[in-house]
C-alpha cells in the first residue's frame, strides 16, 4: 500500500538521510576534483605516440603501464645530461625530453637487421630502432610551442644551480599509452577470435594492418570476368605507404610519395598517346599499400591473381616495371635493378635483356636521365617485384636512384619530408601560387616519368608515337604539393567526391597503412589517377551514380564518380561533373588473415594493438614527504568522519525522531 510505504519508520529514514549526505559529499568531491585537475594538469595536445605492432613472432613499439607512467622531467640536450637520468638523479623515475638529433642514443649498437639482403646493406644509416620492443612509453611532440611549455616548466622547477638536492615542487610528466595486445599476432588474434565466438560483445585486442591497393588499366577490361590467355599485360608498380617510429606519422616523401607521383604522371602521359586503343598489349598501373610491412598489398594481389579473384591472372603478365626511390639522384643516373635468380632461366634472361634495352632506348632522348645497368649478380632492393617472382618467373626491373645503399638518409623516418627531396617554396607566395610553381624536383621527376611512360608504351607494343609520350612537370609539381605540403588545395578539392572532402587536411598527408581504411592517401591517389587518366562524361548525377541505365555506359569496364569539380567563375559554387576512368581499389589485407594463418611465415602478419587512451600531460609534483603528510592528514580526516558517522548512526533514534504510524510495515 502506498500510504504504508510513505510512512516509513525512523530507522530507515535516518539511513536515507545519511546516504544522501555522503552522496552529496561524493558529488562535490567529483566536481571539485575536476576543477582541481584542470588547474594542475596541462594536457599536451600535439603528440604522436609510439604504439605496439605485432607480427607472427614478435611485438615491437612501446607502451606505458595501465595507469600511465609518471616521472620527473629532465631535458637532455647533450650526452652528459643522460648521466643524471640514468644514475645520479635523486628522484627517479625520470621522463626524458630528448632532442631529435639524440634520439638514436640508445641504439648505436644495434645492427641494421631489417633492410639488408644478400650482401648489400640497402639502408646502412638505419639502426632498426623502429623494430625494437620498448616497455616504456615514447611520444613525439610535434609542436615546438608545446616543447617550449615543457622546457619552461623544467627550467622553473629544476635543480638548484650548484647541482645539490632539488627543491620541490618538481615538474613531472605523465604518459598514457597502454596497449591491449601482447606477445604476437598469433596470440592476440587467437584471443580475439575466441572472444568473438563466445561473447556477444567481444573485446578485440588487435587488428590486422590493411587498406586498399589502387589500380587502373590503360585500356578498359571486363572486371567481372578474367582476361583471355593471349591478352598480355605490362605491369607498372610502386608503393603507396611508408612508416616511422611514431603512430600515423609517415611523411614518406622519398620512400613513397615521389615514386607514386612519378607513376601517376607517367600514367597521364601514356593515356594521351594517340594510339592507346590499338596497342597490342595492355598496361596496368598498380599502387600497392602496406609494402612497408612485409608487402601486404602486393602479396594480396599475387594471391588473388593465383586464386582467380582478380581480373588479370598471373600468367598474363608480360613484364613488370617497378619504381623504387627515385627522387634523390645525385647524378643523372637511374639504376635498373634486376633479379639474378629468375635469370637463371634462359627465356626469362632474354626477356629481361629486352626489357633493359627498351628502357635504355626510351631514356635516350630524355634530358638529364641516363639509364644504367648493374652487375648481374646483384640482388634486388626491397621491392614488390619480389612477391611476384616468388609466385612466377617474370621479367622485371626496379628503377631506383641508388646502385647500392639508399641515398635516402631518412628512409622510413619522421624526417622524410618535403625538404628531404628539396621541395621548398619561397615564403612570399600564396598557397595557390605554391601549388602551381614548378620546382626543380618536379622537373627531375617529370623526366623520370617520361622515361617510364615511353618504356611502357614500347613494352605495350607501340612504335609510332614514342616521342609524343611526355610527362607534364605541372602535374608532378601539383601532386607533390598536395601530398607533401597541403592536401586541402583547390585541385584536390575539385577532383574528389563531395563526401570525401574532409579527407583533405591543411597539413601533409601521412602514409601509414592504417587499420581503418581506405586511408586519405588511398582515396586521393585513386581520384588523382581518375582525373589524370579518365574523361569527363556528359551525364547527370543520377546517371553517374547508376550508369547501368545509360545504354552506352558499362560498369564492368569503367568506374564512374561524381566529383566536386572546380569553383565557378564567381567562386561561390562548384561545377560538379561525372568522371569515367578505370581507377579502382582492391583489398590489401594480408592473405594470412584471409586464411587465418596467424603465424604464417609466407605472408605478412602485422597487426596493430588496440588501446583505450593515449594522452600526455605535465604537472607539478610535491616532494614525497609532503605527499606522505597530505595522505596522513587525509587518513586522519577519514577516520574522524567514520567515528562521527558511527556515533550519529548509533544514536540515530535519539537524534532523528519521527512519529511512528500504527500498523506500518517495517522493511
Ligand atoms: C592543450 O589544450 C588545452 C585546452 O585547449 C590548453 O589548456 C593547454 O594549454 C594546451 N596545451 C599546451 C601544452 O599548449
Ligand atoms: C617479426 O618482427 C621481428 C622484429 O622486426 C623480426 O625479428 C622477426 O623476424 C619477425 N617475424 C616474422 C615471422 O617475420
Ligand atoms: C607558436 O606560437 C606562436 C605565437 O603564439 C604562433 O605564432 C606559432 O604559429 C605557433 N607555432 C606553432 C607550430 O603552432
Ligand atoms: C648551493 O647549495 C646549497 C645547499 O647545498 C644552497 O644553500 C645554496 O643556495 C646553493 N647555491 C645556489 C647558487 O643555488
Ligand atoms: C563481363 O563479363 C561478365 C562475366 O563473364 C559478362 O556477363 C558481361 O557481359 C561482360 N561484360 C562486358 C561488357 O563484356
Ligand atoms: C623458363 O621459364 C619459362 C616461362 O616462365 C618456362 O616455360 C620454362 O619452362 C622455364 N625453363 C626452365 C629451364 O626452367
Ligand atoms: C605505325 O604506323 C604504320 C604506318 O602508319 C602502321 O602501318 C602501323 O600499323 C603502326 N603501328 C602500330 C603499332 O600502330
Ligand atoms: C584524413 O582524413 C580524416 C578523416 O576525414 C581527417 O580527419 C584527417 O584530418 C585527414 N588527415 C590528413 C593528414 O589530412
Ligand atoms: C582534372 O582536373 C583538372 C583541374 O581541375 C580539370 O580541368 C580536368 O577537367 C579534370 N579531368 C578529369 C578527367 O576529371
Ligand atoms: C549533354 O547532354 C545533354 C542531354 O543529355 C545535351 O542536351 C547536351 O547538349 C550535352 N552536352 C554536351 C557538351 O555534349
Ligand atoms: C554565381 O554564379 C552563378 C552561375 O554561375 C549564379 O547562379 C549565382 O547567382 C552567382 N552568385 C553570385 C553571388 O553572384
Ligand atoms: C630554478 C632553477 O634552478 N632553474 C635552473 C634550471 O636549469 C637551467 C639550466 O639547466 C638554469 O638556467 C635554471 O636557472
Amino acid at each position: 500500500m502506498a500510504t504504508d510505504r510513505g510512512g516509513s519508520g525512523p530507522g530507515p529514514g535516518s539511513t536515507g538521510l545519511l546516504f544522501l549526505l555522503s552522496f552529496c559529499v561524493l558529488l562535490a568531491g567529483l566536481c571539485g576534483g575536476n576543477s582541481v585537475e584542470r588547474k594542475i594538469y596541462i594536457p599536451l595536445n600535439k603528440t604522436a605516440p609510439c604504439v605496439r605492432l605485432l607480427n607472427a613472432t614478435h611485438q615491437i613499439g612501446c607502451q606505458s603501464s595501465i595507469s600511465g607512467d609518471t616521472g620527473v622531467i629532465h631535458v637532455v640536450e647533450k650526452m652528459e645530461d643522460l648521466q643524471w637520468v640514468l644514475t645520479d638523479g635523486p628522484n627517479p623515475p625520470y621522463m626524458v625530453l630528448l632532442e631529435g638529433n639524440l634520439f638514436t642514443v640508445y641504439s648505436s649498437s644495434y645492427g641494421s637487421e631489417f633492410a639488408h639482403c644478400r650482401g648489400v646493406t640497402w639502408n646502412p644509416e638505419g639502426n632498426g630502432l623502429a623494430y625494437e620492443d620498448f616497455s616504456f612509453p615514447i611520444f613525439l611532440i610535434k609542436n615546438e610551442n608545446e616543447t617550449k611549455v615543457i622546457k619552461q616548466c623544467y627550467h622553473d622547477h629544476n635543480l638548484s644551480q650548484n647541482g645539490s638536492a632539488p627543491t620541490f615542487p618538481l615538474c613531472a610528466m605523465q604518459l598514457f599509452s597502454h596497449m591491449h595486445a601482447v606477445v604476437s599476432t598469433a596470440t592476440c588474434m587467437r584471443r580475439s577470435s575466441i572472444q568473438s565466438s563466445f561473447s556477444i560483445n567481444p573485446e578485440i585486442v588487435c587488428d590486422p594492418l590493411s587498406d586498399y591497393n589502387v589500380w587502373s588499366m590503360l585500356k578498359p577490361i571486363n572486371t567481372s570476368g578474367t582476361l583471355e590467355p593471349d591478352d598480355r599485360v605490362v605491369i607498372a608498380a610502386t608503393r603507396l605507404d611508408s612508416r616511422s617510429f611514431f603512430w600515423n606519422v609517415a611523411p614518406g616523401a622519398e620512400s613513397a610519395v615521389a615514386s607514386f607521383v612519378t607513376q601517376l604522371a607517367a600514367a597521364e602521359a601514356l593515356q594521351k598517346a594517340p594510339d592507346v586503343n590499338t596497342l597490342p598489349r595492355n598496361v596496368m598501373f598498380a599502387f600497392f599499400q602496406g609494402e612497408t610491412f612485409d608487402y601486404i598489398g602486393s602479396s594480396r594481389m599475387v594471391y588473388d591473381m593465383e586464386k582467380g579473384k582478380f581480373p588479370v591472372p598471373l600468367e598474363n603478365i608480360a613484364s613488370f616495371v617497378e619504381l623504387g626511390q627515385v627522387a634523390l639522384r645525385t647524378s643523372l643516373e637511374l639504376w635498373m635493378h634486376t633479379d639474378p635468380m629468375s635469370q637463371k632461366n634462359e627465356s626469362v634472361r632474354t626477356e629481361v635483356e629486352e626489357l633493359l634495352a627498351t628502357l635504355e632506348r626510351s631514356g635516350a632522348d630524355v634530358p638529364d636521365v641516363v639509364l644504367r645497368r648493374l652487375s648481374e649478380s646483384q640482388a634486388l632492393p626491397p621491392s614488390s617485384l619480389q612477391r611476384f617472382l616468388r609466385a612466377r618467373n617474370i621479367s622485371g626491373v626496379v628503377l631506383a636512384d641508388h646502385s647500392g645503399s639508399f641515398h635516402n638518409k631518412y628512409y622510413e623516418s619522421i624526417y622524410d619530408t618535403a625538404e628531404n627531396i628539396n621541395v621548398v617554396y619561397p615564403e612570399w607566395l600564396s598557397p595557390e601560387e605554391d601549388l602551381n610553381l614548378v620546382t626543380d624536383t618536379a622537373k627531375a621527376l617529370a623526366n623520370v616519368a617520361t622515361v617510364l611512360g615511353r618504356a611502357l608504351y614500347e613494352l605495350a607494343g607501340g612504335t609510332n608515337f614514342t616521342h609524343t609520350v611526355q610527362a607534364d612537370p605541372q602535374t608532378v609539381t601539383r601532386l607533390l604539393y598536395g601530398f607533401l605540403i597541403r592536401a586541402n588545395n583547390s585541385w584536390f578539392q575539385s577532383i574528389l567526391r563531395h563526401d570525401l572532402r574532409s579527407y583533405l587536411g591543411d597539413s601533409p598527408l601521412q602514409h601509414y597503412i592504417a587499420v581503418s581504411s581506405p586511408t586519405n592517401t588511398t582515396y586521393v591517389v585513386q581520384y588523382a589517377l581518375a582525373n589524370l587518366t579518365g574523361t569527363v562524361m556528359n551525364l547527370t548525377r543520377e546517371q553517374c551514380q547508376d550508369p547501368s541505365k545509360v545504354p552506352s555506359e558499362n560498369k564492368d569496364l569503367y568506374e564512374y564518380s561524381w566529383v566536386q569539380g572546380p569553383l565557378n567563375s564567381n567562386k561561390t559554387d562548384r561545377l560538379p561533373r561525372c568522371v569515367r576512368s578505370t581507377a579502382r581499389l582492391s583489398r590489401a589485407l594480408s592473405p594470412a588473415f584471409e586464411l587465418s594463418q596467424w603465424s604464417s611465415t609466407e605472408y605478412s602478419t602485422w597487426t596493430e594493438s588496440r588501446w583505450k587512451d593515449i594522452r600526455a600531460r605535465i604537472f607539478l609534483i610535491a616532494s614525497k614527504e609532503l605527499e606522505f603528510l597530505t595522505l596522513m592528514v587525509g587518513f586522519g580526516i577519514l577516520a574522524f568522519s567514520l567515528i562521527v558517522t558511527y556515533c550519529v548512526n548509533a544514536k540515530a533514534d535519539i537524534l532523528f525522531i519521527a512519529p511512528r504510524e500504527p500498523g506500518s510495515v517495517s522493511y
Side-chain angles (χ1 to χ4, degrees):
M1 267 173 76
T3 47
D4 280 342
R5 276 162 192 271
S8 39
S14 62
T15 343
L17 186 68
L18 273 180
F19 257 117
L20 193 69
L21 267 178
S22 50
F23 181 66
C24 283
V25 172
L26 240 169
L27 201 70
L30 273 178
C31 305
N34 258 346
S35 71
V36 170
E37 177 173 300
R38 237 172 281 139
K39 255 184 239 141
I40 60 177
Y41 292 118
I42 304 175
L44 299 175
N45 310 316
K46 301 277 163 44
T47 59
C50 149
V51 304
R52 176 170 292 166
L53 301 176
L54 308 101
N55 70 1
T57 51
H58 289 64
Q59 60 180 28
I60 63 168
C62 320
Q63 82 155 347
S64 74
S65 66
I66 195 153
S67 52
D69 286 0
T70 308
V72 174
I73 294 177
H74 196 82
V75 177
V76 171
E77 278 161 340
K78 47 192 189 304
M79 288 293 271
E80 295 81 71
D81 294 346
L82 272 179
Q83 187 68 12
W84 178 269
V85 177
L86 297 174
T87 54
D88 298 352
N91 298 294
Y94 283 96
M95 280 285 171
V96 178
L97 186 70
L98 207 61
E99 299 285 334
N101 56 5
L102 284 178
F103 188 52
T104 52
V105 160
Y106 296 111
S107 70
S108 46
S109 60
Y110 297 138
S112 63
E113 73 265 338
F114 214 79
H116 76 280
C117 172
R118 269 183 267 140
V120 184
T121 301
W122 295 108
N123 188 12
E125 309 266 349
N127 52 32
L129 190 66
Y131 291 91
E132 296 292 329
D133 183 36
F134 297 91
S135 56
F136 50 86
I138 302 178
F139 277 58
L140 170 72
I141 299 159
K142 293 196 264 187
N143 187 314
E144 240 171 71
N145 292 351
E146 298 209 334
T147 318
K148 274 193 202 130
V149 170
I150 300 171
K151 282 191 174 167
Q152 193 58 49
C153 182
Y154 169 74
H155 277 249
D156 292 349
H157 304 278
N158 57 1
L159 349 157
S160 46
Q161 211 88 42
N162 52 17
S164 64
T167 49
F168 284 97
L170 293 178
C171 192
M173 189 185 311
Q174 191 171 27
L175 303 178
F176 298 85
S177 64
H178 182 70
M179 298 289 138
H180 293 334
V182 287
V183 183
S184 68
T185 291
T187 311
C188 76
M189 288 301 288
R190 202 178 314 123
R191 203 171 127 193
S192 300
S193 84
I194 291 172
Q195 283 258 353
S196 36
S197 49
F198 287 110
S199 164
I200 308 163
N201 200 358
E203 192 201 333
I204 308 289
V205 293
C206 64
D207 302 283
L209 294 180
S210 75
D211 201 330
Y212 289 84
N213 300 322
V214 180
W215 66 283
S216 77
M217 301 296 299
L218 184 63
K219 294 185 282 180
I221 59 168
N222 185 350
T223 49
S224 300
T226 47
L227 289 183
E228 297 297 321
D230 54 350
D231 290 339
R232 309 291 287 161
V233 176
V234 179
I235 295 189
T238 189
R239 65 166 63 183
L240 281 182
D241 72 312
S242 179
R243 71 162 298 203
S244 77
F245 190 79
F246 299 100
W247 183 73
N248 208 12
V249 182
E254 152 87 339
S255 54
V257 176
S259 319
F260 71 65
V261 161
T262 305
Q263 181 157 301
L264 284 169
E268 181 192 32
L270 185 56
Q271 198 80 43
K272 284 187 184 149
D275 60 344
V276 269
N277 290 318
T278 57
L279 291 177
R281 284 188 281 274
N282 208 340
V283 178
M284 171 175 160
F285 292 95
F287 301 81
F288 294 120
Q289 264 286 5
E291 297 298 278
T292 309
F293 293 97
D294 297 345
Y295 310 110
I296 296 173
S298 55
S299 62
R300 178 56 185 269
M301 188 169 280
V302 170
Y303 175 84
D304 285 346
M305 285 175 164
E306 280 176 324
K307 294 278 177 295
K309 291 180 187 161
F310 194 80
V312 180
L314 210 51
E315 295 74 41
N316 291 43
I317 300 174
S319 48
F320 194 102
V321 184
E322 177 167 348
L323 277 185
Q325 304 181 65
V326 288
L328 289 176
R329 285 186 293 138
T330 44
S331 52
L332 307 181
E333 282 144 350
L334 189 63
W335 297 92
M336 302 185 288
H337 297 260
T338 55
D339 174 53
M341 296 303 284
S342 58
Q343 290 185 65
K344 288 191 177 144
N345 178 322
E346 203 53 47
S347 71
V348 173
R349 190 191 178 82
T350 335
E351 281 171 27
V352 170
E353 185 56 40
E354 274 169 32
L355 186 56
L356 299 183
T358 309
L359 273 159
E360 279 166 345
R361 252 198 330 277
S362 316
D365 296 331
V366 180
D368 300 341
V369 182
V370 177
L371 285 138
R372 283 281 156 81
R373 296 182 188 218
L374 283 153
S375 129
E376 273 175 20
S377 60
Q378 184 171 326
L380 278 175
S383 54
S384 313
L385 173 57
Q386 294 181 349
R387 292 307 309 204
F388 284 80
L389 287 171
R390 269 202 202 187
R392 199 181 155 82
N393 260 357
I394 54 178
S395 59
V397 60
V398 178
L399 300 177
D401 56 16
H402 52 90
S403 60
S405 50
F406 294 168
H407 290 168
N408 185 6
K409 272 193 295 189
Y410 300 123
Y411 184 67
E412 293 181 357
S413 92
I414 57 171
Y415 301 113
D416 194 1
T417 56
E419 290 89 64
N420 187 33
I421 59 168
N422 203 19
V423 173
V424 282
Y425 297 91
E427 261 167 37
W428 57 86
L429 294 184
S430 70
E432 199 63 22
E433 287 168 323
D434 281 348
L435 173 65
N436 293 308
L437 179 81
V438 179
T439 57
D440 289 341
T441 307
K443 285 180 203 153
L445 290 177
N447 284 333
V448 177
T450 303
V451 175
L452 178 64
R454 289 183 184 177
L456 293 172
Y457 177 78
E458 294 204 353
L459 290 169
T463 48
N464 293 352
F465 298 99
T466 307
H467 289 276
T468 64
V469 177
Q470 182 79 46
D472 185 359
Q474 189 78 38
T475 301
V476 177
T477 208
R478 288 167 148 227
L479 288 167
L480 287 176
Y481 180 82
F483 284 104
L484 295 176
I485 310 283
R486 194 184 158 96
N488 188 7
N489 60 63
S490 62
W491 186 43
F492 278 6
Q493 284 291 359
S494 79
I495 63 175
L496 240 58
R497 257 175 20 219
H498 183 73
D499 58 315
L500 299 179
R501 66 190 191 288
S502 70
Y503 281 73
L504 304 175
D506 285 337
S507 49
L509 287 168
Q510 302 301 327
H511 310 286
Y512 170 69
I513 178 184
V515 294
S516 58
S517 53
T519 54
N520 309 34
T521 309
T522 307
Y523 271 132
V524 177
V525 168
Q526 186 196 3
Y527 281 85
L529 186 60
N531 174 276
L532 296 173
T533 61
T535 42
V536 178
M537 306 301 289
N538 184 14
L539 296 176
T540 63
R541 182 183 181 142
E542 287 69 34
Q543 287 171 324
C544 193
Q545 280 159 354
D546 186 11
S548 57
K549 301 216 174 73
V550 188
S552 59
E553 302 304 326
N554 194 320
K555 264 206 109 146
D556 285 338
L557 301 179
Y558 294 105
E559 188 85 355
Y560 298 82
S561 39
W562 186 253
V563 302
Q564 293 200 83
L567 289 167
N568 65 5
S569 52
N570 58 13
K571 309 245 185 242
T572 49
D573 298 303
R574 293 193 168 271
L575 305 165
R577 52 186 60 181
C578 186
V579 174
R580 187 182 81 176
S581 73
T582 60
R584 289 187 162 86
L585 301 182
S586 78
R587 198 85 181 95
L589 168 69
S590 168
F593 298 99
E594 198 80 350
L595 301 164
S596 299
Q597 292 173 356
W598 300 316
S599 41
S600 168
T601 48
E602 168 75 9
Y603 297 115
S604 166
T605 51
W606 286 104
T607 51
E608 183 185 273
S609 172
R610 286 204 181 176
W611 57 82
K612 199 165 156 196
D613 192 16
I614 285 192
R615 63 199 160 95
R617 56 190 187 180
I618 57 176
F619 55 96
L620 293 179
I621 54 164
S623 66
K624 286 274 180 295
E625 292 77 31
L626 186 58
E627 277 180 353
F628 188 69
L629 189 67
T630 314
L631 188 69
M632 281 302 120
V633 171
F635 271 130
I637 292 174
L638 180 69
F640 177 73
S641 61
L642 281 178
I643 292 165
V644 169
T645 309
Y646 178 78
C647 294
V648 168
N649 212 4
K651 303 285 174 207
D653 45 349
I654 304 167
L655 286 170
F656 308 96
I657 308 163
R660 184 183 289 265
E661 266 185 49
S664 72
V665 185
S666 60
Y667 291 84

